[in-house]
Amino acid sequence: IMARHGVPDERGRVLARLAGGSAARALEEDLEQEQHEQAETFLAILDSLAAVPAVLAQAEALDRELKAHERAQAEAFVETLAAFVREVAALRTGRAPLCPGWSGAAARWAEAATPAGLLAIEAALRRARWALRPEHNANRRLTLERLLFRMREAVCTLEEV
């Protein structure tokens, strides 16, 4: 559907994911404002990785924000964060950003993470997606804490924080 409207395949997949899987919504809405808001959240996550208390506070804030929604919202957040990490990896390889609203935040993350760190973050995101499936009945806040601590390990190996 996205290709028929002149949207390149990879960008179409990202936009459809951001629009909750709906290609029609991705085409109808301007998702740039939503991307800017997500970028702020992603920068707050990156900033929180410097210290253990900040990681715990960030996990608590995310849990509070997601608690108002169904479990699917936490899964969607992790999926969106995974798409953002792929955007960071693409920037590190010199590719143009697929989501312009994320470009500034992605550039900042790209400075902080090595390719090995990005792979470790992707693995942590896969584990979080698995844990958040309804059949696994995982505690959302503990899953978020675990995800952020694994991300901290991946980023802080560079910075020695």
Side-chain angles (χ1 to χ4, degrees):
I1 294 173
M2 301 294 279
R4 278 188 262 151
H5 291 277
V7 179
D9 286 345
E10 194 171 349
R11 180 167 170 73
R13 281 192 296 276
V14 170
L15 290 175
R17 186 178 298 123
L18 293 174
S22 169
R25 180 174 171 245
L27 290 168
E28 290 173 8
E29 291 186 24
D30 177 15
L31 295 177
E32 196 165 332
Q33 179 59 34
E34 187 174 341
Q35 290 172 5
H36 284 295
E37 291 168 9
Q38 291 166 339
E40 291 300 316
T41 300
F42 299 149
L43 286 174
I45 289 171
L46 180 63
D47 291 341
S48 77
L49 299 179
V52 171
V55 170
L56 294 171
Q58 183 65 39
E60 182 179 356
L62 285 170
D63 184 54
R64 263 195 321 273
E65 183 179 325
L66 297 172
K67 194 172 273 186
H69 304 284
E70 296 295 320
R71 181 179 214 68
Q73 187 69 18
E75 290 178 67
F77 170 77
V78 171
E79 283 294 326
T80 303
L81 184 55
F84 176 76
V85 169
R86 285 189 292 277
E87 183 88 345
V88 172
L91 270 176
R92 287 190 57 88
T93 63
R95 287 192 7 214
L98 294 172
C99 298
W102 286 350
S103 59
R108 185 140 165 249
W109 270 64
E111 292 173 9
T114 64
L118 290 172
L119 288 173
I121 290 170
E122 178 58 34
L125 287 162
R126 268 195 319 277
R127 286 186 201 110
R129 280 194 301 262
W130 181 88
L132 289 169
R133 288 185 189 152
E135 65 267 22
H136 296 131
N137 199 28
N139 179 296
R140 182 180 48 231
R141 181 167 174 191
L142 293 177
T143 300
L144 291 169
E145 284 179 7
R146 189 172 178 191
L147 170 63
L148 293 179
F149 275 116
R150 285 186 169 146
M151 291 172 71
R152 181 180 192 277
E153 288 173 6
V155 173
C156 292
T157 55
L158 272 182
E159 301 172 3
E160 302 289 329
V161 176

